[in-house]
Amino acid sequence: VQLQASGGGLAHAGDSLRLSCAASGLTFSHYVMAWFRQTPGKEQEFVLGISPTSTSTYSGNSAKGRFTISRDNAESTVFLQMNGLKVEDTAVYYCAAGSVWPPDKSRMQYWGNGTLVTVSS
């Protein structure tokens, strides 16, 4: 199983970025997908999750009102649209796949490589 995250980079506060995570080696449409993020010295933080058929999403506190998650099961890809970026959104963003709802970092089965998002003021 591979989860390849991409789309990170340098942004200014207030900008938007869209992260993608392409999955292979699993039946993508059967899995809960989620985004997590981590900054050095801090615990990994849950951002957003989406159910296998996109009927439900689950949001962490940091994402509410600014970030949205979506998926394309035909392309085995999950997206994280981040709007109104803040300096404190700077982190490595990881996608993950699991079978349990709602998603929880201790119960995700597969993890991607991470993509760095840096937001400057």
Side-chain angles (χ1 to χ4, degrees), residues 1 3 6 11-12 15 22 29 36 41 44 49 54-55 58-59 62 66 69 72 82 84-85 93 102 114-115 117 121:
V1 174
L3 301 176
S6 61
H12 291 102
D15 284 354
S29 62
F36 297 82
Q44 191 177 59
S54 303
T55 52
Y58 188 71
S59 177
S62 61
R66 298 189 298 125
I69 189 170
D72 183 341
M82 304 187 293
L85 283 164
Y93 284 74
T115 185
V117 173
S121 59

Coordinates of all heavy atoms in Angstrom, one line a residue, residues 1 3 6 11-12 15 22 29 36 41 44 49 54-55 58-59 62 66 69 72 82 84-85 93 102 114-115 117 121:
V1 N 0.8 -1.2 0.0 CA 0.0 0.0 0.0 C 0.9 1.2 0.0 O 1.9 1.3 0.8 CB -0.9 0.0 1.2 CG1 -1.7 1.3 1.3 CG2 -1.9 -1.2 1.2
L3 N 0.6 5.6 0.0 CA -0.2 6.8 0.0 C 0.8 8.0 -0.3 O 1.7 8.2 0.5 CB -0.9 7.0 1.4 CG -1.8 6.0 1.8 CD1 -2.4 6.2 3.2 CD2 -3.0 5.8 0.8
S6 N 0.9 15.1 -1.8 CA 1.6 16.2 -2.6 C 0.8 17.5 -2.5 O -0.3 17.5 -1.9 CB 1.7 15.8 -4.1 OG 0.4 15.6 -4.6
A11 N 3.4 29.2 1.4 CA 2.2 30.1 1.2 C 2.3 31.3 2.1 O 3.0 31.2 3.1 CB 0.9 29.3 1.4
H12 N 1.5 32.3 1.8 CA 1.4 33.4 2.7 C 0.1 33.3 3.5 O -0.9 32.7 3.0 CB 1.4 34.8 1.9 CG 2.7 35.1 1.3 ND1 3.0 34.8 -0.1 CD2 3.9 35.5 1.8 CE1 4.3 35.2 -0.3 NE2 4.8 35.6 0.8
D15 N -3.6 32.8 2.1 CA -3.6 32.0 0.8 C -4.4 30.7 1.0 O -4.8 30.3 2.1 CB -2.2 31.7 0.4 CG -1.5 32.9 -0.2 OD1 -2.1 34.0 -0.4 OD2 -0.3 32.8 -0.4
A22 N -2.6 10.4 -3.3 CA -2.9 9.3 -4.2 C -2.6 8.0 -3.6 O -1.5 7.8 -3.1 CB -2.2 9.5 -5.5
S29 N -12.0 2.7 -2.1 CA -13.4 3.1 -1.8 C -13.9 2.4 -0.6 O -15.0 2.7 -0.1 CB -14.3 2.8 -3.0 OG -14.3 1.4 -3.3
F36 N -3.8 14.3 8.8 CA -3.3 14.7 10.1 C -2.1 15.7 9.8 O -1.7 15.8 8.7 CB -2.7 13.5 10.8 CG -3.8 12.5 11.2 CD1 -4.2 11.5 10.2 CD2 -4.3 12.4 12.5 CE1 -5.2 10.6 10.6 CE2 -5.3 11.5 12.8 CZ -5.7 10.6 11.8
G41 N 8.0 19.1 17.8 CA 7.8 19.3 19.2 C 6.4 19.2 19.7 O 6.1 19.4 20.9
Q44 N 1.0 14.9 17.1 CA 0.3 14.9 15.8 C -1.2 15.2 16.0 O -1.8 14.8 17.0 CB 0.4 13.5 15.2 CG -0.1 13.3 13.8 CD 0.1 12.0 13.2 OE1 -0.4 11.0 13.8 NE2 0.9 11.8 12.2
G49 N -11.4 14.0 8.4 CA -11.6 12.7 7.8 C -12.9 12.6 7.0 O -13.8 13.5 7.1
S54 N -18.0 9.3 0.9 CA -18.1 10.7 1.1 C -19.4 11.2 1.7 O -19.8 12.4 1.7 CB -18.0 11.4 -0.3 OG -16.8 11.1 -0.9
T55 N -20.1 10.3 2.4 CA -21.4 10.7 3.0 C -21.2 11.5 4.3 O -22.0 12.2 4.7 CB -22.3 9.5 3.3 OG1 -21.5 8.5 4.0 CG2 -22.8 8.8 2.0
Y58 N -15.6 14.5 9.1 CA -15.3 14.6 10.6 C -14.2 15.6 10.7 O -13.1 15.4 10.1 CB -15.0 13.3 11.2 CG -14.9 13.2 12.7 CD1 -16.1 13.4 13.5 CD2 -13.7 13.1 13.3 CE1 -16.0 13.3 14.8 CE2 -13.6 13.0 14.7 CZ -14.7 13.1 15.4 OH -14.7 13.1 16.8
S59 N -14.4 16.6 11.5 CA -13.4 17.7 11.5 C -12.7 17.9 12.9 O -13.4 17.8 13.9 CB -14.1 19.0 11.1 OG -13.2 20.1 11.2
S62 N -8.9 22.5 14.4 CA -8.1 23.4 13.6 C -8.7 23.7 12.3 O -8.4 24.7 11.6 CB -6.7 22.9 13.5 OG -6.7 21.7 12.9
R66 N -12.4 26.5 7.7 CA -11.3 26.9 6.7 C -10.9 25.7 5.8 O -10.5 26.0 4.7 CB -10.1 27.4 7.5 CG -10.4 28.6 8.4 CD -9.1 29.2 8.9 NE -8.4 28.2 9.8 CZ -7.2 27.8 9.6 NH1 -6.5 28.3 8.6 NH2 -6.6 27.0 10.5
I69 N -12.4 18.5 3.2 CA -11.8 17.3 2.6 C -12.8 16.7 1.6 O -14.0 16.9 1.7 CB -11.6 16.3 3.8 CG1 -10.8 15.0 3.3 CG2 -12.9 15.9 4.5 CD1 -10.4 14.1 4.4
D72 N -12.0 11.4 -4.5 CA -12.4 10.9 -5.8 C -12.1 9.4 -5.8 O -10.9 9.0 -6.0 CB -11.7 11.6 -6.9 CG -12.1 11.2 -8.3 OD1 -12.7 10.1 -8.5 OD2 -11.8 12.0 -9.2
M82 N -7.3 23.9 1.7 CA -7.1 24.7 2.9 C -7.2 26.2 2.4 O -6.4 26.6 1.5 CB -5.6 24.4 3.4 CG -5.4 23.0 3.7 SD -3.8 22.7 4.5 CE -2.7 23.0 3.2
G84 N -7.7 30.4 3.7 CA -7.4 31.3 4.8 C -6.3 30.8 5.7 O -6.4 30.8 6.9
L85 N -5.2 30.3 5.0 CA -4.1 29.8 5.8 C -3.6 30.7 6.8 O -3.5 32.0 6.6 CB -3.0 29.3 4.8 CG -3.3 28.0 4.1 CD1 -2.3 27.9 2.9 CD2 -3.2 26.8 5.0
Y93 N 1.9 17.6 6.6 CA 0.5 17.1 6.5 C 0.6 15.6 6.0 O 1.3 15.4 5.0 CB -0.3 17.9 5.6 CG -0.8 19.2 6.3 CD1 0.2 20.3 6.5 CD2 -2.1 19.4 6.7 CE1 -0.2 21.4 7.1 CE2 -2.5 20.6 7.4 CZ -1.5 21.6 7.6 OH -1.9 22.7 8.2
P102 N -15.4 7.3 13.8 CA -14.6 8.4 13.1 C -13.1 8.0 13.2 O -12.6 7.2 14.0 CB -14.9 9.6 14.0 CG -15.2 9.1 15.3 CD -15.9 7.8 15.1
G114 N 3.8 12.3 3.9 CA 3.8 13.7 4.4 C 4.2 14.7 3.4 O 5.1 14.5 2.5
T115 N 3.6 15.9 3.4 CA 4.0 17.0 2.6 C 4.0 18.2 3.4 O 3.1 18.5 4.3 CB 3.0 17.1 1.4 OG1 3.4 18.2 0.5 CG2 1.6 17.4 1.8
V117 N 3.8 22.0 4.5 CA 3.2 23.3 4.3 C 3.8 24.3 5.2 O 3.8 24.1 6.4 CB 1.7 23.2 4.5 CG1 1.0 24.6 4.4 CG2 1.0 22.2 3.6
S121 N 3.9 35.0 7.3 CA 3.1 36.1 7.6 C 3.2 37.2 6.6 O 4.2 37.2 5.8 CB 3.3 36.6 9.0 OG 4.7 37.0 9.1

